[in-house]
Amino acid sequence: MNWRYKHTALALCTLAFTATMVARLVISPLIPQIRVEFGVTNATVGLGLSGMWLAYALAQFPSGVLGDRYGERTVILTAVGATAVASLLISASPSIVAFIAFAVVLGAGAGLHYTVATTFLTRRFDDIGRAIGVHVAGGPVAGLAAPPLAALVGSRYGWRAGIALGVAAAVPVFVLFAWRVRPTEPLRPDQAMRERFALGPLAELLSRPRILYTTALSTMGAFTWQATASFLPTFLEFGTGLSGGLSALLFSLYFLVHGATQPVTGSISDRIGRDATVMATMAAGVVGYGLLVAAAEFGFGRPAIVVGVGFVGLAMSWGAPLQSRFMDLLSDAERGAGFGLVRTAYMVVGASGSVVVGAVSDAAGWTVAFGLLAGVMGLALTALLANRALRLGY
């Protein structure tokens, strides 16, 4: 495989991830219009979004199994195609029940992409940290562009047109991927599917000390990411007193830093090691969330808030080095299903970040809620430092 092709494949995998993320992120800014049209509460619409993200998390493991059985290219095309179809169905939803059902379908379809694409790329790059960093940056790019664009389109043409942006993003990527990416041979085309889902081998993989340790670190990262993606604009507006417009602008800054630093942290982890790089991201989280809490508690000015948001964006680039750490620990034969399994594990648990931080903010205020996130980052940093200082071997 030559240089030109593998980088084309990386670019198209990244675009595919961006397309699947766009389709999910365009929904949130349109919730007020959707709620009014169907005459339901925010909680009801939120139920659909929760179902979508849960389906996305649960799809990670089966996607790895399907990639081993049918080949990565086929599964990635299925994910992007399902994203386009589900987005179209959501935009045409005749009722809130249909909307929720199609949102769950979108989550499951989009969830087929990431694990398989990451495995596909690790087989083609030696510097897997950098490749994973570029690939995962497709998500923050979508986070930067999709919400404001959806809000603009929705305000002019209605929420259904805003949802249809998911179709507009997915269809060209589907065509490009089908055209430019070569067919991939499945690793286990003849193995019975029931063998891949047997509980014994799955439990054995998850219980390996180094896998379990890395999963715990990833769970803490996912918990914090989910809470930040859900509540950072609200915290900035109601916790620090910024205007809604400035809070939205800083949320875009968060995604910009988040996306720009993913390839950097991935590349650095290839050079100086996974753990040292993850330590830097967790330390950035302690500083970033600490600055935001201090700004809310003591009335620090806007510069401190901007710096805090920048550090938080850097902190959330933990994904590239930690996912590379998983790949280092898994054999080539295990990477498809194994990586999908650990992603499902840490994403399902990490998804509780929104619920927990939302509940804490209701009970004790935003300062305590975001102080909790600083504590989670501090706990992960402590675990990393202890592993290195005590030579625990995890």
Side-chain angles (χ1 to χ4, degrees), residues 85-373:
V85 172
S87 295
L88 183 62
L89 291 172
I90 293 171
S91 70
S93 296
S95 67
I96 189 62
V97 174
F99 173 89
I100 292 173
F102 295 145
V104 172
V105 172
L106 173 61
L112 295 176
H113 167 80
Y114 188 85
T115 296
V116 176
T118 302
T119 305
F120 173 75
L121 293 171
T122 56
R123 294 194 178 114
R124 286 152 181 82
F125 285 87
D126 294 325
D127 49 345
I128 63 173
R130 183 179 182 183
I132 290 176
V134 171
H135 180 224
V136 76
V141 168
L144 178 64
L149 185 58
L152 177 63
V153 172
S155 66
R156 293 189 178 185
Y157 305 106
W159 69 268
R160 296 181 187 275
I163 297 292
L165 289 172
V167 183
V171 170
V173 173
F174 180 92
V175 173
L176 281 171
F177 202 95
W179 175 38
R180 298 298 297 171
V181 175
R182 302 165 188 165
T184 53
E185 291 295 325
L187 288 180
R188 301 183 180 186
D190 301 319
Q191 186 174 10
M193 295 292 281
R194 64 178 179 273
E195 294 180 10
R196 305 305 309 277
F197 289 95
L199 293 179
L202 302 182
E204 185 278 325
L205 189 149
L206 282 176
S207 64
R208 296 175 193 172
R210 299 183 74 185
I211 293 289
L212 188 61
Y213 171 77
T214 310
T215 303
L217 292 174
S218 299
T219 300
M220 288 184 273
F223 178 96
T224 309
W225 185 94
Q226 191 71 49
T228 303
S230 298
F231 292 116
L232 180 59
T234 308
F235 168 82
L236 293 173
E237 183 173 354
F238 296 100
T240 67
L242 298 181
S243 67
L246 184 55
S247 297
L249 182 63
L250 288 177
F251 193 43
S252 294
L253 173 65
Y254 158 75
F255 275 114
L256 179 64
V257 175
H258 180 20
T261 54
Q262 289 277 11
V264 176
T265 55
S267 182
I268 291 174
S269 77
D270 288 331
R271 298 183 180 185
I272 70 171
R274 313 299 185 203
D275 287 12
T277 310
V278 179
M279 284 182 200
T281 63
M282 299 303 177
V286 174
V287 173
Y289 291 110
L291 276 173
L292 293 179
V293 168
E297 186 69 18
F298 303 112
F300 288 178
R302 292 181 181 179
I305 297 173
V306 172
V307 172
V309 169
F311 270 104
V312 168
L314 172 59
M316 292 303 99
S317 66
W318 57 266
L322 269 182
Q323 290 172 20
S324 301
R325 195 182 202 273
F326 277 122
M327 291 302 186
D328 294 340
L329 298 174
L330 296 168
S331 68
D332 189 61
E334 292 175 325
R335 282 177 172 176
F339 184 55
L341 177 63
V342 296
R343 264 180 68 81
T344 288
Y346 76 71
M347 288 181 70
V348 168
V349 179
S352 65
S354 297
V355 176
V356 172
V357 169
V360 171
S361 69
D362 288 337
W366 286 111
T367 300
V368 176
F370 268 61
L372 172 64
L373 298 182

Side-chain angles (χ1 to χ4, degrees), residues 52-64:
M52 177 185 73
W53 287 105
L54 181 60
Y56 179 81
L58 292 175
Q60 302 299 306
F61 171 52
S63 72

